[in-house]
Amino acid sequence: MSTELGQEPIELTLYDGAGLKAKDEALIAAFEQKHPNVTITGRYDPDDVQAQNAPRVLASDDPPDIARVIALSDVAGDGLLTNLDAYADAYTWDELPEGQLAQYRVNEDGVRGEGSQYTMADGFTVTGFYYNKELAEQLGMSTPPQTMEELEELLAQAEEAGMVPIMAGNQTGQVMTSTQMMLNHALGAESVNEWIFHAPEATIDTPEAAEALATIQDWAEAGYYPEDTNGTDATAALGRFANGEALFYASGNWDAAALDEQMGDNVGFFLPPAPEGQEPATMSDPASNFAIPAGSDAKDAAAAFLDFLRSEEARQVVADAGFAPSGEGEVPATEEGSVRAQIQEAFAQLVEADGQVQFVQNATNGLTTTWNSEAQRLVDGATTPEDMLDAVQSKYEDELGR
């Protein structure tokens, strides 16, 4: 392997989900400007099928040179990815925050968070609560709640005032955002990540997790979500929040640009309250977790692209696209006072606290449908927290062959 790309023409192919195309094309342009002898062609599948198609694409006779992967354990275990340890040593990737490195590693037993490095992300999502400042002021909220008790007091006040406390389009699984917030709060970042990373005998089916889900069900019964949440999709929920229908909107930085445009100075953002005496933790998944397929014939150039992702140029591109950039360092330039600036500051705080937690729906390839359908039944009162967790854990073990 080499970190030198020379002067001869090099052609690479990058594979990702179509919803990430604009970000990827900007990153490609910035990299090609720095390395004019390298040409990268993007290849994209629809977002909802890219994760399912990835193993087939990686195993093809002509795989891409750079590819986004989600179910890292599966494809690494099947020998479809390049072990990046030699590149990690050459490029000093061990200097990255440990919470990020954990998302790139998997050991020989398929347990993530440890072992060899196989991926590098360009950036991360960040989830928390957006809030309508005018409505918050009406309730006497001058600063974001610092504890879960303060948050629940505000939810009750909003419902009494005729506001929707938490906007959520659960037709597309948005209640799962606040559900994971409660799981993180009850179980802690390390415990949730161990389950997502397939640690031996890890289970989500615990009394503490059931208590977290019981809180979500209580919120639904109390009217803290819209009555029609299960019939509302994420796009409609975003619009309704922007139009002033709700106090809070539990979502991620992918909505920041739209809310900045539609609400201006009237929207704020904060991380979920942490338990007393603990550091903040929230769901912060890789935007594009890039690997180098084992069948690539231009691995050195592909690795140079992965290393570029932590450069200041790439960090700014990722921030401009609405994501939190890889690595650590100065917060990328964003409009002062904008909600995007607030999110970048929140992410810097999260990285310092080592509080990044992966999305529970991405623990295995097939869990998203189970989580979403069970979350719909939970808010409808059609299942119990215990039965929901049993269904999720059973699907998890079935997918892992345990």
Side-chain angles (χ1 to χ4, degrees), residues 316-335:
Q316 188 64 58
V317 167
V318 170
D320 290 343
F323 295 96
S326 179
E328 57 186 350
E330 293 295 322
V331 175
T334 45
E335 183 180 350

PDB file of all heavy atoms in Angstrom, residues 316-335:
ATOM      1  N   GLN A 316     -15.953  21.057   5.769  1.00  0.00           N
ATOM      2  CA  GLN A 316     -16.815  22.181   5.410  1.00  0.00           C
ATOM      3  C   GLN A 316     -17.895  21.749   4.421  1.00  0.00           C
ATOM      4  O   GLN A 316     -19.059  22.166   4.528  1.00  0.00           O
ATOM      5  CB  GLN A 316     -15.987  23.321   4.821  1.00  0.00           C
ATOM      6  CG  GLN A 316     -16.780  24.606   4.591  1.00  0.00           C
ATOM      7  CD  GLN A 316     -17.297  25.194   5.881  1.00  0.00           C
ATOM      8  OE1 GLN A 316     -16.537  25.509   6.785  1.00  0.00           O
ATOM      9  NE2 GLN A 316     -18.624  25.347   5.980  1.00  0.00           N
ATOM     10  N   VAL A 317     -17.521  20.917   3.454  1.00  0.00           N
ATOM     11  CA  VAL A 317     -18.502  20.406   2.492  1.00  0.00           C
ATOM     12  C   VAL A 317     -19.614  19.653   3.221  1.00  0.00           C
ATOM     13  O   VAL A 317     -20.809  19.840   2.946  1.00  0.00           O
ATOM     14  CB  VAL A 317     -17.821  19.488   1.454  1.00  0.00           C
ATOM     15  CG1 VAL A 317     -18.872  18.698   0.661  1.00  0.00           C
ATOM     16  CG2 VAL A 317     -16.949  20.294   0.510  1.00  0.00           C
ATOM     17  N   VAL A 318     -19.222  18.796   4.156  1.00  0.00           N
ATOM     18  CA  VAL A 318     -20.201  17.998   4.895  1.00  0.00           C
ATOM     19  C   VAL A 318     -21.100  18.889   5.745  1.00  0.00           C
ATOM     20  O   VAL A 318     -22.319  18.695   5.817  1.00  0.00           O
ATOM     21  CB  VAL A 318     -19.477  16.943   5.757  1.00  0.00           C
ATOM     22  CG1 VAL A 318     -20.439  16.268   6.717  1.00  0.00           C
ATOM     23  CG2 VAL A 318     -18.813  15.906   4.853  1.00  0.00           C
ATOM     24  N   ALA A 319     -20.516  19.898   6.376  1.00  0.00           N
ATOM     25  CA  ALA A 319     -21.305  20.831   7.179  1.00  0.00           C
ATOM     26  C   ALA A 319     -22.277  21.615   6.310  1.00  0.00           C
ATOM     27  O   ALA A 319     -23.439  21.836   6.691  1.00  0.00           O
ATOM     28  CB  ALA A 319     -20.386  21.780   7.940  1.00  0.00           C
ATOM     29  N   ASP A 320     -21.824  22.031   5.134  1.00  0.00           N
ATOM     30  CA  ASP A 320     -22.706  22.758   4.211  1.00  0.00           C
ATOM     31  C   ASP A 320     -23.880  21.893   3.765  1.00  0.00           C
ATOM     32  O   ASP A 320     -24.956  22.409   3.458  1.00  0.00           O
ATOM     33  CB  ASP A 320     -21.917  23.228   2.988  1.00  0.00           C
ATOM     34  CG  ASP A 320     -20.929  24.344   3.315  1.00  0.00           C
ATOM     35  OD1 ASP A 320     -21.074  24.965   4.384  1.00  0.00           O
ATOM     36  OD2 ASP A 320     -20.012  24.569   2.500  1.00  0.00           O
ATOM     37  N   ALA A 321     -23.660  20.572   3.731  1.00  0.00           N
ATOM     38  CA  ALA A 321     -24.727  19.645   3.342  1.00  0.00           C
ATOM     39  C   ALA A 321     -25.687  19.354   4.494  1.00  0.00           C
ATOM     40  O   ALA A 321     -26.682  18.648   4.311  1.00  0.00           O
ATOM     41  CB  ALA A 321     -24.123  18.336   2.831  1.00  0.00           C
ATOM     42  N   GLY A 322     -25.375  19.882   5.681  1.00  0.00           N
ATOM     43  CA  GLY A 322     -26.278  19.717   6.819  1.00  0.00           C
ATOM     44  C   GLY A 322     -25.886  18.625   7.784  1.00  0.00           C
ATOM     45  O   GLY A 322     -26.605  18.370   8.753  1.00  0.00           O
ATOM     46  N   PHE A 323     -24.742  17.970   7.560  1.00  0.00           N
ATOM     47  CA  PHE A 323     -24.297  16.906   8.443  1.00  0.00           C
ATOM     48  C   PHE A 323     -23.183  17.404   9.360  1.00  0.00           C
ATOM     49  O   PHE A 323     -22.587  18.460   9.137  1.00  0.00           O
ATOM     50  CB  PHE A 323     -23.810  15.702   7.639  1.00  0.00           C
ATOM     51  CG  PHE A 323     -24.892  15.034   6.835  1.00  0.00           C
ATOM     52  CD1 PHE A 323     -25.074  15.345   5.494  1.00  0.00           C
ATOM     53  CD2 PHE A 323     -25.741  14.114   7.422  1.00  0.00           C
ATOM     54  CE1 PHE A 323     -26.081  14.744   4.750  1.00  0.00           C
ATOM     55  CE2 PHE A 323     -26.750  13.509   6.691  1.00  0.00           C
ATOM     56  CZ  PHE A 323     -26.926  13.822   5.356  1.00  0.00           C
ATOM     57  N   ALA A 324     -22.913  16.641  10.409  1.00  0.00           N
ATOM     58  CA  ALA A 324     -21.800  16.940  11.297  1.00  0.00           C
ATOM     59  C   ALA A 324     -20.563  16.234  10.755  1.00  0.00           C
ATOM     60  O   ALA A 324     -20.604  15.031  10.498  1.00  0.00           O
ATOM     61  CB  ALA A 324     -22.112  16.469  12.715  1.00  0.00           C
ATOM     62  N   PRO A 325     -19.450  16.913  10.566  1.00  0.00           N
ATOM     63  CA  PRO A 325     -18.301  16.333   9.870  1.00  0.00           C
ATOM     64  C   PRO A 325     -17.516  15.338  10.702  1.00  0.00           C
ATOM     65  O   PRO A 325     -17.547  15.349  11.928  1.00  0.00           O
ATOM     66  CB  PRO A 325     -17.452  17.551   9.519  1.00  0.00           C
ATOM     67  CG  PRO A 325     -17.798  18.552  10.565  1.00  0.00           C
ATOM     68  CD  PRO A 325     -19.250  18.331  10.879  1.00  0.00           C
ATOM     69  N   SER A 326     -16.789  14.478  10.001  1.00  0.00           N
ATOM     70  CA  SER A 326     -15.939  13.473  10.627  1.00  0.00           C
ATOM     71  C   SER A 326     -14.777  14.125  11.344  1.00  0.00           C
ATOM     72  O   SER A 326     -14.402  15.258  11.070  1.00  0.00           O
ATOM     73  CB  SER A 326     -15.420  12.510   9.550  1.00  0.00           C
ATOM     74  OG  SER A 326     -14.581  11.527  10.098  1.00  0.00           O
ATOM     75  N   GLY A 327     -14.209  13.377  12.282  1.00  0.00           N
ATOM     76  CA  GLY A 327     -13.037  13.857  12.999  1.00  0.00           C
ATOM     77  C   GLY A 327     -13.405  14.863  14.066  1.00  0.00           C
ATOM     78  O   GLY A 327     -14.523  14.908  14.567  1.00  0.00           O
ATOM     79  N   GLU A 328     -12.449  15.693  14.414  1.00  0.00           N
ATOM     80  CA  GLU A 328     -12.678  16.748  15.395  1.00  0.00           C
ATOM     81  C   GLU A 328     -11.830  17.940  15.003  1.00  0.00           C
ATOM     82  O   GLU A 328     -10.910  17.846  14.208  1.00  0.00           O
ATOM     83  CB  GLU A 328     -12.329  16.260  16.806  1.00  0.00           C
ATOM     84  CG  GLU A 328     -10.903  15.765  16.959  1.00  0.00           C
ATOM     85  CD  GLU A 328     -10.651  15.159  18.326  1.00  0.00           C
ATOM     86  OE1 GLU A 328     -11.509  15.297  19.206  1.00  0.00           O
ATOM     87  OE2 GLU A 328      -9.592  14.540  18.500  1.00  0.00           O
ATOM     88  N   GLY A 329     -12.141  19.080  15.549  1.00  0.00           N
ATOM     89  CA  GLY A 329     -11.429  20.296  15.200  1.00  0.00           C
ATOM     90  C   GLY A 329     -12.351  21.480  15.304  1.00  0.00           C
ATOM     91  O   GLY A 329     -13.388  21.436  15.974  1.00  0.00           O
ATOM     92  N   GLU A 330     -11.979  22.558  14.640  1.00  0.00           N
ATOM     93  CA  GLU A 330     -12.800  23.760  14.671  1.00  0.00           C
ATOM     94  C   GLU A 330     -14.170  23.476  14.055  1.00  0.00           C
ATOM     95  O   GLU A 330     -14.290  22.741  13.076  1.00  0.00           O
ATOM     96  CB  GLU A 330     -12.119  24.885  13.898  1.00  0.00           C
ATOM     97  CG  GLU A 330     -10.828  25.393  14.525  1.00  0.00           C
ATOM     98  CD  GLU A 330     -11.068  26.049  15.878  1.00  0.00           C
ATOM     99  OE1 GLU A 330     -12.092  26.735  16.021  1.00  0.00           O
ATOM    100  OE2 GLU A 330     -10.230  25.855  16.782  1.00  0.00           O
ATOM    101  N   VAL A 331     -15.204  24.081  14.650  1.00  0.00           N
ATOM    102  CA  VAL A 331     -16.545  23.939  14.097  1.00  0.00           C
ATOM    103  C   VAL A 331     -16.575  24.619  12.734  1.00  0.00           C
ATOM    104  O   VAL A 331     -16.178  25.778  12.600  1.00  0.00           O
ATOM    105  CB  VAL A 331     -17.600  24.570  15.031  1.00  0.00           C
ATOM    106  CG1 VAL A 331     -18.977  24.518  14.400  1.00  0.00           C
ATOM    107  CG2 VAL A 331     -17.597  23.859  16.380  1.00  0.00           C
ATOM    108  N   PRO A 332     -17.006  23.917  11.673  1.00  0.00           N
ATOM    109  CA  PRO A 332     -17.033  24.530  10.339  1.00  0.00           C
ATOM    110  C   PRO A 332     -17.891  25.791  10.311  1.00  0.00           C
ATOM    111  O   PRO A 332     -18.822  25.945  11.111  1.00  0.00           O
ATOM    112  CB  PRO A 332     -17.636  23.431   9.461  1.00  0.00           C
ATOM    113  CG  PRO A 332     -17.326  22.158  10.180  1.00  0.00           C
ATOM    114  CD  PRO A 332     -17.420  22.509  11.642  1.00  0.00           C
ATOM    115  N   ALA A 333     -17.569  26.668   9.397  1.00  0.00           N
ATOM    116  CA  ALA A 333     -18.277  27.938   9.290  1.00  0.00           C
ATOM    117  C   ALA A 333     -19.745  27.714   8.932  1.00  0.00           C
ATOM    118  O   ALA A 333     -20.064  27.018   7.968  1.00  0.00           O
ATOM    119  CB  ALA A 333     -17.611  28.814   8.233  1.00  0.00           C
ATOM    120  N   THR A 334     -20.627  28.273   9.730  1.00  0.00           N
ATOM    121  CA  THR A 334     -22.063  28.264   9.452  1.00  0.00           C
ATOM    122  C   THR A 334     -22.594  29.632   9.847  1.00  0.00           C
ATOM    123  O   THR A 334     -21.979  30.355  10.632  1.00  0.00           O
ATOM    124  CB  THR A 334     -22.795  27.183  10.258  1.00  0.00           C
ATOM    125  OG1 THR A 334     -22.342  27.202  11.617  1.00  0.00           O
ATOM    126  CG2 THR A 334     -22.561  25.800   9.688  1.00  0.00           C
ATOM    127  N   GLU A 335     -23.749  29.985   9.314  1.00  0.00           N
ATOM    128  CA  GLU A 335     -24.320  31.300   9.599  1.00  0.00           C
ATOM    129  C   GLU A 335     -24.556  31.463  11.097  1.00  0.00           C
ATOM    130  O   GLU A 335     -25.237  30.638  11.718  1.00  0.00           O
ATOM    131  CB  GLU A 335     -25.632  31.471   8.834  1.00  0.00           C
ATOM    132  CG  GLU A 335     -26.258  32.846   9.011  1.00  0.00           C
ATOM    133  CD  GLU A 335     -27.554  32.983   8.244  1.00  0.00           C
ATOM    134  OE1 GLU A 335     -27.857  32.087   7.435  1.00  0.00           O
ATOM    135  OE2 GLU A 335     -28.264  33.986   8.459  1.00  0.00           O
TER     136      GLU A 335
END
